[in-house]
Amino acid sequence: MEDLRIAKQDMPHVAPETTGQPARAEAYVAIITCFNRDDTINYSAVRNQVRRQISFGNNILVGDTQGDFTCLTHAEKVRLCAEIVEEADGRVKVLANIGMPSTYQSILVGKDISGLGVDGATVLAPYFADCPDEDVFLHYSKVADSLQMPIYLYNAPAITMRPLSAEVVGQLASHSNIKGIKDNSTDGARMRAYLDIAADNADFVHYVGTDSLICEALSHGAAGCMSDLGNILPRTLNNLCLTFANGSSKEALKWQSLLSELRADLLALGPMALWVKQLLYLMDNSVGLGRQPFPRPNSAQEEALCAIVEKYQIV
C-alpha cells in the first residue's frame, strides 16, 4: 500500500532507507494493533504492518494510542513487543509505550519488555489521577530509576487532561536514563519550550507527535517524529523526514502539506485516533477494528472515509 497521489502531483520520489532515518530526522510510526473478529490480537497481521513500515524505512512505536494500549492486557503488551522486535530483526528501531495509570504498573510492563530487545520506552504521564508536578516528577524518576533501557517522556494532554509542564520536563531532562520526550500537543509555545530544553541538554531529544507540526519541529531542532498518519501514508512520512535531513526543506514542506491535509480531513470527522484505524481498515481489512467500546462509523462517516480514500487515491 502506498499513496499514489504523490506521483500524480509530480512530487519528488526519495528512495526509502531500511535502517531508519539520519540523525535529527528520525521517522517513527505509532503502529496499530491488529485484531481478529473475536477481539484476539492478529499477530500475523501486526507483522505484516511491521514489514510494511520497514519497507519504507520507518521505525516502530508499539502500544501507543493507535495501538489500543488501554485495551491490551499485560501479557498481550509483552507478546506484542516480542513479536514486533522479532519481525523488525534490527532493521529499524523499536520503542514501546509503557504508560499505565500507576507507576508500579508501568515499571512491571517495562521490566517484562526490557529484555526483548526494544530500544527504549515512552511513558505516558499518569492518566487517571490528576497529579501535581511533584508527583509527576516522582513518577518518571522512579520509572527511570527502575528500568535498564532509555526512557522517553510522553506528553499527550488529550489523554491525560494535563500537559507536562516545561518546569517538570526541564528537571527530568537531567536524569541520566531519560533521553527525550514525545510531544503530542498542538501548543506551539509549549513545543518550543520543550525544544529549548532539548537544546540545553545534549542527551535529551524532542520527538513531535502531531503530524501537522513535523516540519516546524524539525526546523527548530527536533530529533524526529512519532506519527499516527504514517500508518496511512508511510512513504510520505519517510520522504518528509529524509528530504528534511538531506537539507531539502522546500521538498519536505510538500510532503508535510499532504499529511496536514489528511489530518484536517480526519479531524473533521471527530477525534483523529478513532479514524486512522477505520481508514486503514478500508485499505486492508486484515487489520481488523479496535476492541469494543471502540466506536464503529455510522453510514455517513463510512461514506466520508471512502471519500478520503478516493481523494488521496490510497490503495
Side-chain angles (χ1 to χ4, degrees), residues 6 14 71 82 88 108 116 118 136 140 149 152 166 174 195 197 199 204 207 215 220 244-245 252 256 298:
I6 303 282
V14 181
C71 301
L108 283 182
L116 299 176
V118 295
V136 172
Y140 278 114
M149 61 180 171
Y152 296 86
S174 62
L195 285 162
I197 293 167
F204 185 89
Y207 289 101
C215 272
H220 286 89
F244 186 92
Q256 175 68 84
N298 58 37

Side-chain angles (χ1 to χ4, degrees), residues 33-43 76 289 291:
T33 300
C34 304
F35 293 99
N36 297 303
R37 289 181 180 274
D38 63 358
D39 275 355
T40 57
I41 295 178
N42 185 337
Y43 292 103
E76 286 174 331
L289 296 170
R291 282 178 171 164

Side-chain angles (χ1 to χ4, degrees), residues 29 52-53 58 211 227-234 237 259:
V29 172
R52 175 172 172 253
Q53 294 300 334
N58 296 326
D211 282 283
S227 167
D228 292 338
L229 294 182
N231 284 289
I232 307 299
L233 301 178
L237 179 70
L259 285 178

Side-chain angles (χ1 to χ4, degrees), residues 7-201:
K8 293 197 173 187
Q9 289 186 328
D10 216 16
M11 287 186 175
H13 172 69
V14 181
E17 297 188 348
T18 57
T19 55
Q21 298 297 331
R24 306 205 66 76
E26 291 184 299
Y28 282 85
V29 172
I31 200 165
I32 64 161
T33 300
C34 304
F35 293 99
N36 297 303
R37 289 181 180 274
D38 63 358
D39 275 355
T40 57
I41 295 178
N42 185 337
Y43 292 103
S44 176
V46 169
R47 285 176 177 262
N48 286 338
Q49 291 300 313
V50 172
R51 289 193 292 272
R52 175 172 172 253
Q53 294 300 334
I54 290 173
S55 74
F56 291 104
N58 296 326
N59 301 301
I60 306 294
L61 173 58
V62 187
D64 196 70
T65 308
Q66 291 300 329
D68 294 90
F69 78 99
T70 59
C71 301
L72 303 180
T73 68
H74 180 104
E76 286 174 331
K77 291 177 180 180
V78 175
R79 181 177 171 186
L80 191 62
C81 284
E83 297 260 354
I84 288 176
V85 167
E86 182 179 74
E87 189 63 45
D89 194 26
R91 291 174 288 175
V92 296
K93 296 178 184 177
V94 177
L95 300 179
N97 170 40
I98 60 170
M100 295 289 284
S102 74
T103 309
Y104 177 76
Q105 290 169 292
S106 292
I107 292 171
L108 283 182
V109 176
K111 285 183 175 180
D112 280 352
I113 69 167
S114 62
L116 299 176
V118 295
D119 295 286
T122 60
V123 184
L124 188 66
Y127 55 88
F128 183 76
D130 184 13
C131 299
D133 277 357
E134 311 88 78
D135 290 333
V136 172
F137 177 82
L138 291 172
H139 167 75
Y140 278 114
S141 297
K142 187 168 184 178
V143 172
D145 288 342
S146 301
L147 300 176
Q148 301 300 311
M149 61 180 171
I151 298 300
Y152 296 86
L153 313 179
Y154 183 0
N155 179 54
I159 299 173
T160 63
M161 303 301 143
R162 178 189 176 101
L164 290 174
S165 72
E167 291 74 21
V168 78
V169 172
Q171 293 173 331
L172 291 166
S174 62
H175 193 292
S176 61
N177 202 34
I178 295 178
K179 301 301 184 182
I181 184 169
K182 178 193 176 188
D183 176 22
N184 266 39
S185 77
T186 56
D187 184 334
R190 188 175 302 279
M191 180 180 76
R192 287 187 289 275
Y194 293 160
L195 285 162
D196 287 343
I197 293 167
D200 291 338
N201 293 269

Side-chain angles (χ1 to χ4, degrees), residues 214-293:
I214 296 173
C215 272
E216 181 180 349
L218 291 176
S219 69
H220 286 89
C225 63
M226 297 185 183
S227 167
D228 292 338
L229 294 182
N231 284 289
I232 307 299
L233 301 178
R235 185 196 299 274
T236 298
L237 179 70
N238 188 273
N239 284 351
L240 188 165
C241 290
L242 188 55
T243 52
F244 186 92
N246 289 339
S248 302
S249 57
K250 288 184 179 179
E251 304 299 345
L253 283 170
K254 292 180 181 179
W255 302 109
Q256 175 68 84
S257 66
L258 187 59
L259 285 178
S260 298
E261 186 178 351
L262 174 58
R263 182 175 185 272
D265 286 342
L266 290 174
L267 282 173
L269 297 175
M272 195 180 71
L274 302 179
W275 305 115
V276 170
K277 191 162 198 177
Q278 300 285 355
L279 187 56
L280 191 56
Y281 178 77
L282 290 178
M283 298 160 58
D284 175 10
N285 63 15
S286 73
V287 304
L289 296 170
R291 282 178 171 164
Q292 290 181 331

